[in-house]
């Protein structure tokens, strides 16, 4: 279900968090369109954290530390990367209002970025919203093979270490099914969301001020 704003109603960070708590999130038609849609899918994508799957090949890449993974090091650059055109998607939904809203959530500690660097250059990453014990994945990008996948592995390690209960992917793609993403009904999703909002998780359970090694990340996923 999607409802479009009929006027440019102000959406504050507080309103946005309340929307997430109700199971809805905003999107835009394109970067040029200033309007926003409120989205509540009939089928919701989630990755069950206890069943997150990492292939042997990807585990080797993670363990090699070919990518240095940082948290909240350059949030704006991750937004830029997620907004880039890519094969099969010439346009982006990340418009000026989306950027401002999620930057505001970042400023108050409810939005985070996971970034992958290679030879000092940002080559991939993702960002999403934290609320209670839920993490709502918004978007990811990759400029180098496996860069976004490694970011996702490190995100899940952090969520598991911090006691999170729900990883919301909004929709399920072929890219995410390899990690164990599944679709749940709206009713099922609301039950998962309600349980995840009872108390708080700790996104800082793993260090924020230094990169976490791939071996350490995999330990948290496999315990």
């Amino acid at each position: 279900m999607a409802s479009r704003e009929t006027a440019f109603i102000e959406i504050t960070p507080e309103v946005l968090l309340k929307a997430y708590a109700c199971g809805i999130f905003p999107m835009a038609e394109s970067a040029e369109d200033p309007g926003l849609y409120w989205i509540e899918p009939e089928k919701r994508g989630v990755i069950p954290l206890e069943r997150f799957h990492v292939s042997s090949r990807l585990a080797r890449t993670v363990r090699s530390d070919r990518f240095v993974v940082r948290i909240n090091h350059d949030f704006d650059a991750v937004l830029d990367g997620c907004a880039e055109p890519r094969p099969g998607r010439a346009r982006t939904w990340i418009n000026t209002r989306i950027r401002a809203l999620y930057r505001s959530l970042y400023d108050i500690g409810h939005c985070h970025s996971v970034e992958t660097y290679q030879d000092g250059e940002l080559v991939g990453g993702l960002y999403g919203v934290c609320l209670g014990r839920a993490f709502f994945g918004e978007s990811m990008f990759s400029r180098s093979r496996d860069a976004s996948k490694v970011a996702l592995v490190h995100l899940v390690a952090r969520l598991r270490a911090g006691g999170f209960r729900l990883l919301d992917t909004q929709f399920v793609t072929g890219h995410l099914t390899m990690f164990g993403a599944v679709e749940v009904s709206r009713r099922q999703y609301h039950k998962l969301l309600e349980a995840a909002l009872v108390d708080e998780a700790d996104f800082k359970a793993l260090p924020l001020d230094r990169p976490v090694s791939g071996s350490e990340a995999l330990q948290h996923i496999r315990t």
Side-chain angles (χ1 to χ4, degrees):
M1 180 178 71
S3 62
R4 185 168 184 168
E5 295 177 349
T6 56
F8 293 122
I9 302 167
E10 181 184 6
I11 302 175
T12 65
E14 293 74 22
V15 168
L16 187 53
L17 289 176
K18 288 179 181 178
Y20 275 100
C22 293
I24 61 177
F25 56 90
M27 292 188 75
E29 184 68 29
S30 70
E32 295 75 29
D33 186 345
L36 297 180
Y37 292 95
W38 288 114
I39 306 291
E40 187 181 17
E42 290 286 347
K43 296 287 187 179
R44 194 70 164 246
V46 300
I47 296 179
L49 291 170
E50 71 282 1
R51 299 202 302 271
F52 184 72
H53 174 71
V54 182
S55 70
S56 298
R57 186 195 67 79
L58 182 58
R60 288 194 296 271
T61 300
V62 172
R63 197 176 292 111
S64 74
D65 291 323
R66 175 157 58 94
F67 299 105
V68 175
V69 181
R70 297 185 182 278
I71 307 297
N72 298 340
H73 186 68
D74 197 341
F75 182 82
D76 292 318
V78 172
L79 279 179
D80 290 341
C82 291
E84 290 174 350
R86 65 186 68 166
R89 192 197 72 179
R91 304 171 71 190
T92 177
W93 54 270
I94 300 177
N95 64 9
T96 301
R97 296 180 75 201
I98 290 287
R99 286 175 180 269
L101 277 170
Y102 288 91
R103 189 61 167 80
S104 295
L105 284 187
Y106 172 79
D107 289 339
I108 62 175
H110 279 284
C111 202
H112 301 284
S113 59
V114 181
E115 307 150 16
T116 49
Y117 292 84
Q118 193 168 30
D119 300 324
E121 180 183 355
L122 179 67
V123 292
L126 58 85
Y127 75 97
V129 174
C130 271
L131 186 62
R133 291 182 181 269
F135 188 91
F136 306 87
E138 283 299 313
S139 188
M140 61 199 311
F141 78 100
S142 184
R143 298 170 184 151
S144 178
R145 184 186 182 190
D146 291 336
S148 63
K149 295 177 183 176
V150 170
L152 181 58
V153 170
H154 276 259
L155 170 67
V156 170
R158 183 169 295 275
L159 299 184
R160 285 178 60 96
F164 283 78
R165 300 182 63 173
L166 174 63
L167 174 52
D168 175 355
T169 67
Q170 298 180 347
F171 305 101
V172 172
T173 65
H175 177 79
L176 293 175
T177 55
M178 69 179 67
F179 295 100
V182 296
E183 282 188 335
V184 297
S185 69
R186 184 182 295 171
R187 183 177 180 181
Q188 288 175 298
Y189 176 76
H190 277 280
K191 288 183 178 180
L192 294 171
L193 180 59
E194 182 179 357
L197 296 181
V198 170
D199 53 9
E200 294 291 324
D202 183 10
F203 193 78
K204 301 177 182 178
L206 296 182
L208 296 178
D209 58 351
R210 66 164 175 84
V212 172
S213 72
S215 294
E216 184 178 353
L218 289 171
Q219 286 175 2
H220 286 283
I221 287 173
R222 290 174 172 168
T223 54

